[in-house]
């Protein structure tokens, strides 16, 4: 009877260990899905940043196009005038055109820098999220391995 009771206790302990093992496996799956969700969230943020940057670049290009059209009109109008005032206007328009071109170049550089920065930032966030997820999964795996080893040792004993 004592032997049977002892075997029942061992069987109950094995069942408890199996439950612990399955709980640890479920926890590891939960940690992995959390890490996957974080990666997806960061990727979505990166996509949003890329869309915003592309929108800003498109706005700059439209602005550039409008400015080029305006400057072409100004140049044509200035060419039709033949007097001294025309020469003064041409000089002013050339200055304005250079300023506008300089502004446009700055705008495009700034937009490219923002896109580069946003992409780098998003890559860093993804790397960080993946590392954290992997670290969590490794800790969970180590804990599960330790519990499994203990459970197997208990079962073997």
């Amino acid at each position: 009877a004592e032997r049977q009771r002892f075997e029942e206790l061992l069987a109950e302990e094995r069942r408890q260990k199996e439950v612990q093992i399955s709980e640890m496996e479920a926890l590891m799956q939960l940690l992995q899905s959390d890490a996957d969700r974080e990666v997806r969230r960061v990727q979505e943020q990166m996509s949003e940043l890329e869309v915003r940057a592309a929108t800003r670049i498109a706005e700059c290009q439209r602005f550039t196009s409008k400015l080029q059209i305006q400057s072409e009109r100004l140049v044509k109008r200035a060419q039709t005038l033949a007097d001294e005032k025309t020469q003064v206007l041409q000089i002013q328009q050339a200055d304005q055109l250079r300023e506008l071109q300089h502004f446009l170049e700055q705008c495009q550089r700034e937009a490219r820098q923002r896109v580069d920065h946003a992409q780098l930032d998003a890559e860093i966030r993804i790397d960080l999220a993946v590392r954290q997820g992997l670290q969590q999964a490794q800790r969970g795996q180590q804990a599960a391995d330790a519990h499994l080893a203990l459970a197997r040792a208990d079962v073997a004993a």
Side-chain angles (χ1 to χ4, degrees):
E2 279 185 37
R3 180 172 177 85
Q4 184 177 356
R5 176 73 179 138
F6 179 72
E7 287 176 4
E8 288 174 0
L9 287 174
L10 277 178
E12 177 61 28
E13 191 173 322
R14 283 185 191 132
R15 281 190 292 276
Q16 289 176 355
K17 296 290 181 184
E18 289 171 359
V19 167
Q20 287 178 344
I21 290 169
S22 68
E23 288 174 351
M24 289 302 294
E25 288 172 349
L27 179 61
M28 286 173 50
Q29 289 175 349
L30 181 64
L31 288 172
Q32 182 62 43
S33 73
D34 285 348
D36 291 343
R37 271 194 301 278
E38 182 64 20
V39 167
R40 281 191 300 275
R41 185 185 67 77
V42 170
Q43 286 173 335
E44 287 172 4
Q45 287 178 344
M46 186 173 124
S47 294
E48 289 174 13
L49 288 172
E50 288 173 349
V51 166
R52 280 191 254 156
T55 301
R56 181 73 173 138
I57 289 171
E59 289 172 359
C60 287
Q61 289 172 338
R62 282 192 297 272
F63 183 67
T64 301
S65 177
K66 287 179 182 179
L67 289 176
Q68 286 175 339
I69 291 169
Q70 288 176 353
S71 67
E72 288 171 7
R73 288 179 186 161
L74 290 173
V75 169
K76 284 179 185 179
R77 189 174 63 188
Q79 289 172 348
T80 60
L81 302 174
D83 59 15
E84 230 173 79
K85 291 180 181 179
T86 302
Q87 292 174 356
V88 171
L89 284 175
Q90 287 174 337
I91 292 170
Q92 289 174 346
Q93 288 172 350
D95 289 343
Q96 288 176 346
L97 182 58
R98 278 192 297 277
E99 289 175 13
L100 290 174
Q101 287 173 338
H102 179 70
F103 172 77
L104 292 174
E105 289 169 1
Q106 283 181 317
C107 185
Q108 289 175 339
R109 271 195 306 272
E110 184 180 310
R112 284 189 198 109
Q113 288 172 349
R114 287 182 183 177
V115 168
D116 292 345
H117 180 71
Q119 287 175 337
L120 180 61
D121 188 47
E123 289 172 7
I124 289 170
R125 288 182 184 183
I126 288 172
D127 286 347
L128 182 60
V130 168
R131 275 194 219 125
Q132 289 173 345
L134 289 175
Q135 288 173 351
Q136 288 177 348
Q138 286 173 343
R139 286 193 293 270
Q141 181 67 43
Q142 289 170 351
D145 290 345
H147 282 289
L148 184 61
L150 287 174
R152 287 183 179 157
D154 289 346
V155 168

